[in-house]
Amino acid sequence: MAVSQQEIENRLWDAADELRVAMPKAQYSSVVFPLLFWKYLSDTWEDLHDEFMATEEEGLFRLSAEERHELEYRDYQWFEIPNIYPGTEQQRSASWMSILATITQPGLGQRVRASLQAIETANPDKFSRIFGSMTWTSEEVLSGEVLGAVMRAMDRIPKMHEYNTVAGEACEYLLKRFSDGPGTRAGRFFTPREVVELIVKVLDPKEFESVYDPACGSGGMLIASANLLKARSEDGYTLTLYGQEAVPDTAGVARMNLFMHDLTQFQIEIGDTLQEPRFKKPDGSVAQFDVIVANPPYSLKRKPWSNDPRAIGGVAPQLSAGWAFVQHMIASMDSEKGRAGVVLPPGALFRGGQEAVIRRRVLDDDLLEAVIGLPAKLLYNTTIPTAILVFRAPGTKAPERQGGVLFIDASERFTKARNRNVLTDADIAKVVTAYHTSFDTDGNPVDPDGDGGLAARFVTITEIVEAGYDLNVGRYIKQGAAEPDDLDSLINAYNLARAERQKTEMRMFDVLTAAGIGGFDE
C-alpha cells in the first residue's frame, strides 16, 4: 500500500521527536540528518545490490568473491558500504539494517559512529567528513535507549528508492520544520523555499552553466537551480554546483541534501568565504561563475580585508558583512554572462560611511540591475523586511537596463502563516513578471498590466545620485495612501473594544475583591 508524503513526514517527525527527552529541539538536526542520510545510502545500496544479483545471477557462481565485488562496484554501485570491526567477532556490515538489528545490545552509539566513519573512509571522494562531528553518538550525550528509539521510528519511513522524491522531500521537510518555530537555530542556514525560488527564477540559470553560493547553508539555492531546469523539462543535471559554508556540520547537511535530491555534480567546501575563499583560479584570484546566489550572514563579525582585490569601492565595515559578500560575489561573476542575486537587510540600502562609498562605486560602474523589496517576517532568522539585489557583470546589462536600476516593491505581497509571512506561487510569478517588464523614458511600465500588479519603476543613475546613492525602495516608489475607513465602522469597532475592556476590568475587580484587595475606583 502506497504511503502518502504527509504520512512519511509524520513518521519522520515522530522519529525526530524521540529526541525530546535528551536534547532541545534546536539540536535535533545534528542527529536526524546523519541518520536519515545513512538510511538513504543503505536503502540505495541494497536496491542496487538486488539488481546486481538478479541481473548477474547465472554468471556469479563462476566468479570469485573478489571478482564479484569488482563487477558490482564497477557496473552497479556508486559508493561502498564496508564492514566495521573487520577480522573480529564483532565484524558486520556498516549498513542501516545491520546496525538496526543490534539496537537492544550495549554500545549502539559506538557501532553507529564506527559505521558512519567507515562509510566516510571508504568513500573519501564523496563522503569525507559528511556526517559531521558525531558527538551525539556518545552515551553521555544520547543514551542507547533513545538512539534506538529514533532508529526504530525512522525505520518506518519507506525504502528511499521506492518513492522518486521521498529523500529530497524528507530533507526539505526537516529543514523547514527545524527552522519554523521559536528557539530553533536551523533558520540560520535555511532560506524559505519561496525566497529561494524567487531569486533563482530572476537569475534564470541555463543548461551547462555554473551556479555558486558563497554562503550555501543547507544547499537549498543550489538545489532550486537544478529543480528550475527540471520544471522546464530541461536537464538540471548539466549544472555544475559550487558552495562554501563556514560551519562544518552545516556543510555536511548541504552535501547530504544535494545527494538526497539525486544531484552529484557539486563541490561543497568548508571555510570562511570572506577570509579564505576556496574556489580560486591558478593565479590565486577568485574563480568566476555564471550564476551566484546567496542569503549571507550579514551581521557576521569579521576581520576587515587588507589589500584584497575584491574590495571594489573600499573595505566593508567590520560589523556588517553584507556588502563584503556583495563585493565577493561581484568579483566571482563571469565576465560575459555572470549575474548575482543576494538577500540584504534594509540598512544596507541606505547606511552611510563605508557602505555608502561601496554603493556609489557599484552604481557608478552600473553593476546593480534591480532592487526587490520583500515583506517583513519572511525569513526564519529575522523579522525585518529584506531586499533582493540583482547584479550583472560589467557591460552585460540589457541596453534598456543600462544607466539605471529597476525598483520593485513586493513588500505587501505575502500571505500570513503561523510564525511568519510567506510568498505564494502567484506572488513569485508577479515579481518575476515585474522584473521582465519594459519601461518608458519616465521609468514607468509600458504595459500597465505588465508589472504583475506590483509597483515597479526604472530609476536612472542620475536620480539615484541626486538621492545620495540611497537604494531604499520607498524613496523611489511611493505607497498609495490607504483608503479612509468608514466613520460608522470606526465607531462600531471602538464601542466593541470599549465594551470588551470594561468586561475584563470587572472580572479583574471581582478577583481582587475576593482576594481581599480593595481601594480601586471602578
Side-chain angles (χ1 to χ4, degrees):
M1 179 179 177
V3 181
S4 68
Q5 184 66 35
Q6 181 64 55
E7 179 59 26
I8 291 172
E9 292 175 358
N10 291 341
R11 294 180 185 182
L12 190 56
W13 188 251
D14 287 344
D17 207 36
E18 292 287 349
L19 294 167
R20 66 188 181 279
V21 299
M23 60 182 61
K25 188 179 298 185
Q27 297 177 18
Y28 285 8
S29 60
S30 64
V31 180
V32 175
F33 281 119
L35 290 179
L36 181 66
F37 187 60
W38 182 28
K39 184 179 187 304
Y40 162 77
L41 290 179
S42 298
D43 289 349
T44 301
W45 190 94
E46 289 175 8
D47 183 50
L48 295 174
H49 179 69
D50 290 344
E51 180 184 347
F52 163 68
M53 296 297 291
T55 305
E56 307 289 345
E57 181 179 10
E58 294 184 3
L60 288 180
F61 74 93
R62 303 189 187 96
L63 303 178
S64 66
E66 291 77 10
E67 289 172 329
R68 288 197 298 271
H69 182 276
E70 181 181 355
L71 177 62
E72 179 172 5
Y73 282 92
R74 185 191 68 196
D75 295 348
Y76 293 87
Q77 303 287 2
W78 57 276
F79 62 91
E80 183 173 359
I81 293 186
N83 289 326
I84 59 172
Y85 311 133
T88 71
E89 294 182 357
Q90 290 78 36
Q91 176 176 317
R92 62 188 313 112
S93 170
S95 71
W96 171 270
M97 289 303 298
S98 173
I99 306 304
L100 184 69
T102 72
I103 59 175
T104 60
Q105 301 173 19
L108 176 61
Q110 294 177 2
R111 290 189 295 279
V112 170
R113 185 183 185 90
S115 298
L116 302 187
Q117 288 177 331
I119 291 172
E120 290 180 336
T121 302
N123 304 273
D125 57 329
K126 299 180 181 70
F127 305 143
S128 176
R129 301 170 64 188
I130 196 168
F131 291 108
S133 61
M134 293 183 276
T135 55
W136 50 271
T137 58
S138 168
E139 184 78 21
E140 289 73 27
V141 177
L142 197 64
S143 70
E145 181 181 0
V146 175
L147 178 56
V150 176
M151 292 180 64
R152 242 189 240 103
M154 190 172 289
D155 197 54
R156 296 180 61 235
I157 300 169
K159 299 288 186 182
M160 298 295 192
H161 64 275
E162 294 177 356
Y163 292 78
N164 291 334
T165 62
V166 64
E169 290 295 330
C171 201
E172 190 79 16
Y173 165 76
L174 281 176
L175 285 166
K176 182 179 184 301
R177 187 70 185 263
F178 290 148
S179 301
D180 196 6
T184 61
R185 297 183 297 179
R188 296 180 300 177
F189 59 86
F190 178 65
T191 304
R193 176 186 288 186
E194 65 271 20
V195 178
V196 173
E197 288 184 1
L198 174 56
I199 296 175
V200 169
K201 286 183 176 180
V202 166
L203 297 179
D204 194 23
K206 309 293 185 185
E207 289 182 323
F208 300 101
E209 286 193 323
S210 57
V211 183
Y212 169 53
D213 186 341
C216 70
S218 58
M221 293 200 183
L222 302 177
I223 293 167
S225 299
N227 287 345
L228 178 63
L229 268 64
K230 295 177 185 178
R232 298 191 305 222
S233 299
E234 297 175 5
D235 191 351
Y237 300 109
T238 63
L239 293 177
T240 49
L241 308 173
Y242 302 87
Q244 183 165 339
E245 170 56 43
V247 181
D249 282 8
T250 303
V253 171
R255 293 163 62 200
M256 296 179 212
N257 198 7
L258 285 155
F259 275 123
M260 287 193 283
H261 278 85
D262 199 25
L263 296 169
T264 58
Q265 298 300 314
F266 67 82
Q267 183 177 349
I268 304 296
E269 294 291 338
I270 299 172
D272 184 333
T273 297
L274 298 183
Q275 301 301 329
E276 297 181 281
R278 300 297 189 191
F279 298 100
K280 292 187 176 182
K281 297 179 181 178
D283 64 2
S285 61
V286 295
Q288 295 184 319
F289 307 90
D290 300 314
V291 179
I292 307 172
V293 291
N295 175 20
Y298 20 81
S299 297
L300 179 70
K301 295 180 181 180
R302 68 189 209 294
K303 181 181 179 181
W305 289 338
S306 176
N307 299 319
D308 195 304
R310 294 174 292 173
I312 175 175
V315 179
Q318 181 177 1
L319 301 180
S320 180
W323 279 102
F325 273 101
V326 168
Q327 291 171 317
H328 172 78
M329 296 169 75
I330 288 174
S332 302
M333 288 193 296
D334 178 78
S335 60
E336 295 184 0
K337 52 183 178 179
R339 62 264 194 209
V342 59
V343 180
L344 290 181
L349 306 181
F350 58 80
R351 278 193 296 255
Q354 195 56 43
E355 287 183 308
V357 177
I358 297 171
R359 285 200 306 275
R360 176 173 181 169
R361 174 64 182 276
V362 168
L363 287 163
D364 287 346
D365 288 355
D366 204 13
L367 302 177
L368 180 62
E369 182 183 34
V371 178
I372 303 171
L374 298 177
K377 297 182 67 176
L378 200 60
L379 304 182
Y380 290 111
N381 58 340
T382 181
T383 59
I384 62 175
T386 53
I388 297 171
L389 275 63
V390 181
F391 299 88
R392 296 274 172 176
T396 64
K397 277 189 184 181
E400 64 273 15
R401 292 285 172 88
Q402 293 178 5
V405 176
L406 171 61
F407 288 86
I408 300 173
D409 184 3
S411 60
E412 299 301 320
R413 298 297 312 192
F414 63 88
T415 298
K416 289 186 177 181
R418 186 181 62 179
N419 294 317
R420 64 183 185 90
N421 296 325
V422 299
L423 298 176
T424 65
D425 290 342
D427 295 329
I428 294 171
K430 287 181 181 297
V431 175
V432 174
T433 298
Y435 173 77
H436 291 293
T437 296
S438 297
F439 295 83
D440 60 24
T441 55
D442 294 325
N444 299 312
V446 173
D447 179 3
D449 298 320
D451 60 359
L454 296 176
R457 182 169 171 245
F458 182 75
V459 181
T460 65
I461 295 294
T462 301
E463 183 176 345
I464 297 174
V465 171
E466 291 174 351
Y469 293 92
D470 189 331
L471 297 177
N472 190 10
V473 175
R475 177 176 283 274
Y476 306 102
I477 299 177
K478 305 302 181 185
Q479 291 284 350
E483 293 184 6
D485 290 305
D486 175 74
L487 182 58
D488 289 338
S489 298
L490 288 173
I491 293 173
N492 289 334
Y494 167 76
N495 287 333
L496 287 172
R498 184 170 181 267
E500 286 299 319
R501 177 180 62 82
Q502 290 174 335
K503 290 179 183 177
T504 301
E505 286 180 347
M506 291 304 298
R507 287 196 296 269
M508 179 187 73
F509 292 141
D510 289 342
V511 171
L512 292 172
T513 300
I517 303 174
F520 290 92
D521 183 9
E522 303 182 19

